[in-house]
Amino acid sequence: MNMEDFIDFCRKGSPISGEDMELHGLLTQCSYEAQKITMELNTSYHSKEEIAEIFSELTGSKVDSSFMCFPPFYTDFGKNITIGKNVFFNTGCSFQDRGGIRIGDGTMIGMNVTIATLNHGLSLETRNTTYPSPVIIGKNVWIGSNATILPGVTIGENSVVAAGAVVTRDVPGNTVAAGVPANVVKRINDGLE
């Protein structure tokens, strides 16, 4: 399998066993490339335009010039992140994106937010197998500092995830989710507070 086929394989959400040496080798290669690119991002100053270009290289697709990120930023794969227009990442975000992370237009992601897209099997026989599940973040979402978004979660448009929340299940649109585990605590009424 070549690298392009492997990235496509990952985007389809296929599990990878630690026993599969070919796939594990390709995964390691992708991880090292992501480390190299994020090291470049995180260790010197870059203009807003340069940051968008670095993210385009990291993700393998064009990131809109409206994108903003305050480094450092961390990811273990990089090739399965999709970023909409007018998206902002604050400092210290960490994405485990092999399972897929899609971020809608106008979304703001606070400091030290973690987004995970992989789980391991529970039994000893499958514990070294990773099972991907995408995280989908709708348009105009605000994710507060130190929140953690777990695999398979969809966050609906215009929603807010409170600082420190651990999101284990879907968040409906136009709501505020808070707590550990996060629960809907409020509806957002078309801008009326």
Side-chain angles (χ1 to χ4, degrees):
M1 179 179 299
N2 66 32
M3 186 56 72
E4 186 176 311
D5 291 339
F6 175 70
I7 291 169
D8 188 52
F9 172 85
C10 291
R11 287 183 177 149
K12 290 178 180 172
S14 303
I16 296 178
S17 168
E19 306 297 319
D20 189 324
M21 299 317 283
E22 178 189 11
L23 294 181
H24 195 266
L26 291 165
L27 178 59
T28 301
Q29 190 176 339
C30 278
S31 293
Y32 286 157
E33 181 180 344
Q35 288 176 35
K36 178 182 174 195
I37 295 168
T38 56
M39 182 66 72
E40 175 189 341
L41 173 71
N42 296 336
T43 58
S44 64
Y45 172 79
H46 299 282
S47 68
K48 180 180 180 294
E49 295 78 18
E50 290 169 334
I51 290 172
E53 286 304 313
I54 291 169
F55 267 84
S56 294
E57 180 184 1
L58 177 67
T59 63
S61 59
K62 180 72 175 151
V63 172
D64 192 79
S65 62
S66 62
F67 172 70
M68 278 188 69
C69 174
F70 292 163
F73 172 83
Y74 306 97
T75 186
D76 68 338
F77 190 69
K79 300 300 185 207
N80 211 355
I81 303 171
T82 304
I83 301 170
K85 295 179 181 178
N86 298 306
V87 169
F88 172 69
F89 298 170
N90 211 329
T91 188
C93 290
S94 184
F95 291 6
Q96 180 193 55
D97 69 284
R98 197 182 91 221
I101 298 173
R102 288 184 291 195
I103 302 166
D105 297 347
T107 289
M108 301 181 298
I109 299 180
M111 292 189 320
N112 303 316
V113 167
T114 297
I115 301 176
T117 66
L118 298 175
N119 267 320
H120 288 269
L122 290 177
S123 71
L124 289 177
E125 294 79 22
T126 62
R127 195 159 298 162
N128 70 349
T129 300
T130 51
Y131 298 93
S133 297
V135 169
I136 301 167
I137 300 170
K139 293 180 180 178
N140 304 310
V141 170
W142 172 23
I143 300 175
S145 295
N146 296 301
T148 299
I149 314 300
L150 295 183
V153 167
T154 296
I155 300 173
E157 291 186 3
N158 308 314
S159 290
V160 175
V161 173
V166 177
V167 183
T168 61
R169 60 181 177 261
D170 292 353
V171 175
N174 300 298
T175 62
V176 177
V180 179
N183 289 300
V184 172
V185 296
K186 181 178 183 178
R187 297 253 340 135
I188 298 171
N189 299 319
D190 299 319
L192 301 174
E193 299 288 327

